[in-house]
Amino acid sequence: MRTSNFARDAAAFIVERARSAISTHGLFRLGLAGGRTPRDVYPEVAQLGAELSWSRVQITFGDERCVPPDHPESNYLMAKLSLLDRIIIPEMNVFRIRGEIDPETAAGEYEEKLAAVAGRFGEARYVHDLLLLGLGADGHTASLFPGSPALNESVRNVTPVLGPKPPMQRITFTFPLINSARHVCFLVNDAAKEPIVNEIIAGRSPLPAASVRPSGGAVTWVLAK
Ligand code: 6PG
């Protein structure tokens, strides 16, 4: 989807998926992207989704920087200011990655949280109804950067990583978890990333984001015109 109204149309897509999931199976499991791009989208989600039953929405974070939740680099803080503070959602529905504690401990407790829900649904891995992802200029997504050992993780759903840009220490979803989603949506509003997007969509890219291929799901790209 190419749009000249990026934030609004991205939000409309997200809210439509939410309504569909809630009416189909009573729950919408949404994974949030970090970075700067979603900052304009999430307030539109709050506005368009004002009537959503947010108590039937579960929110996870595709990655988190290992900083406290009130740190300017925190993806949780960005989501709190742009979305969570604008909707009425039970705190227990928001699965925050605790970036302020030891990364291995934080990743381990997140695994347990996701596994508890997956177990209730009889899933091998937690299944997102919609997982939002961003795209870095180097082709990374979440915090899966080129050359990272995490690119080859085949067991864990969540793992600590060292990124090339500060904050270096991060925690990220892995491809097994990403590719268990029913639907993945990339949000890209930077024309400089177009060549990478085109290579990925054409299936000609070796970059990390090209490995996002949900086995039982769809991938949607929302791109700014
Ligand atoms: C992060 C994100 C990361 C981001 C891309 C795009 O924690 O930084 O998860 O994957 O989505 O780097 O970032 P921008 O939206 O800021 O361009």
Side-chain angles (χ1 to χ4, degrees):
M1 176 201 311
R2 284 188 185 282
T3 169
S4 53
N5 196 341
F6 176 80
R8 193 76 177 172
D9 289 345
F13 174 79
I14 294 163
V15 172
E16 184 280 325
R17 300 307 306 162
R19 289 203 177 99
S20 170
I22 290 169
S23 65
T24 307
H25 48 270
L27 179 67
F28 180 54
R29 289 185 273 177
L30 171 63
L32 295 182
R36 294 182 305 276
T37 300
R39 282 184 315 193
D40 297 333
V41 175
Y42 294 163
E44 300 280 350
V45 171
Q47 189 179 42
L48 289 175
E51 304 307 316
L52 270 181
S53 305
W54 287 99
S55 59
R56 293 180 176 274
V57 178
Q58 205 167 74
I59 288 181
T60 70
F61 294 80
D63 70 331
E64 186 53 280
R65 293 81 177 275
C66 292
V67 295
D70 59 356
H71 188 285
E73 286 289 340
S74 165
N75 283 335
Y76 170 78
L77 179 63
M78 181 275 287
K80 181 179 186 299
L81 297 175
S82 59
L83 177 61
L84 303 178
D85 286 352
R86 302 171 189 233
I87 58 177
I88 299 172
I89 186 168
E91 194 174 335
M92 64 182 290
N93 290 31
V94 180
F95 291 11
R96 183 175 73 84
I97 299 175
R98 290 205 297 159
E100 67 275 23
I101 67 172
D102 164 66
E104 274 294 351
T105 305
E109 70 177 23
Y110 213 76
E111 283 279 3
E112 287 167 15
K113 266 199 167 194
L114 297 179
V117 177
R120 285 209 303 274
F121 287 96
E123 299 161 345
R125 293 181 192 278
Y126 184 95
V127 175
H128 287 89
D129 292 294
L130 179 64
L131 175 58
L132 304 177
L133 290 173
L135 178 71
D138 61 356
H140 81 262
T141 193
S143 282
L144 295 166
F145 292 93
S148 169
L151 299 178
N152 303 313
E153 177 58 54
S154 61
V155 176
R156 299 178 74 168
N157 294 300
V158 182
T159 187
V161 294
L162 267 184
K165 61 177 187 174
M168 317 279 275
Q169 185 69 62
R170 296 161 176 244
I171 293 170
T172 186
F173 281 6
T174 61
F175 286 126
L177 180 59
I178 289 170
N179 287 327
S180 295
R182 290 193 175 97
H183 207 129
V184 174
C185 177
F186 280 97
L187 302 174
V188 184
N189 69 349
D190 179 350
K193 298 174 184 175
E194 280 288 311
I196 292 182
V197 171
N198 294 335
E199 287 295 294
I200 292 169
I201 291 176
R204 293 193 300 264
S205 171
L207 296 172
S211 293
V212 174
R213 290 188 293 272
S215 47
V219 178
T220 296
W221 290 80
V222 180
L223 307 167
K225 264 183 186 166

